[in-house]
Amino acid sequence: MSTQPISLAAALASFDERWSPRIVTSVNDYDVRVTHVEGEHLWHAHDRTDEFFLVIEGELHIALREPSGERTVVLEKGSVFTVPRGVEHKPYAPVPTDILLLEPTGTSTVGDRHDEVPDHVDATTGHALS
């Protein structure tokens, strides 16, 4: 963990990969991750944790499979949303988008249950900043 301030803009500028989060800091047992996204992720669920999203730039859509049926939430720049644990969801960014995620350290980007992982999605627990 850094003992100096971290610029989110600089962190995001340090890599180009999409759907491949970088860990910018930790808070207790949680990672604060940033990543570039565009296009579709995959249907997945985190059985033991909620997943927090903050849109830094762009627009993120999150399809949700809830007991009441499917719906999609749209997050514009500056919006936050938490996907409850166990809820299947599929993020999609119609334009290049930068997001911040808050998840317990060691949480996989593809969850505990998921569809086949496409080549453009990095199945990781986060990468350290360069």
Side-chain angles (χ1 to χ4, degrees):
M1 177 171 26
S2 176
T3 59
Q4 297 297 317
I6 298 167
S7 162
L8 293 181
L12 285 159
S14 72
F15 67 101
D16 294 323
E17 295 84 5
R18 305 265 188 244
W19 302 109
S20 184
R22 300 308 192 264
I23 300 167
V24 294
T25 191
S26 296
V27 179
N28 297 316
D29 298 331
Y30 281 76
D31 289 338
V32 178
R33 305 173 184 179
V34 294
T35 191
H36 308 288
V37 298
E38 185 176 12
E40 293 188 352
H41 195 261
L42 66 144
W43 282 105
H44 67 286
H46 302 275
D47 292 332
R48 293 176 295 281
T49 185
D50 301 334
E51 186 172 19
F52 173 88
F53 294 84
L54 163 66
V55 176
I56 298 168
E57 190 64 48
E59 179 178 291
L60 184 69
H61 299 207
I62 305 174
L64 303 160
R65 289 180 177 156
E66 299 172 308
S68 59
E70 286 192 20
R71 70 180 175 115
T72 299
V73 295
V74 177
L75 285 71
E76 297 177 351
K77 179 180 178 177
S79 297
V80 299
F81 184 76
T82 300
V83 175
R85 74 188 70 207
V87 173
E88 286 185 279
H89 57 288
K90 181 179 184 179
Y92 167 76
V95 297
T97 298
D98 294 330
I99 61 174
L100 181 144
L101 303 157
L102 182 63
E103 300 176 298
T105 299
T107 299
S108 170
T109 57
V110 296
D112 302 302
R113 296 177 281 119
H114 56 80
D115 285 350
E116 183 174 332
V117 180
D119 291 340
H120 70 278
V121 172
D122 185 9
T124 180
T125 57
H127 301 283
L129 280 176
S130 300

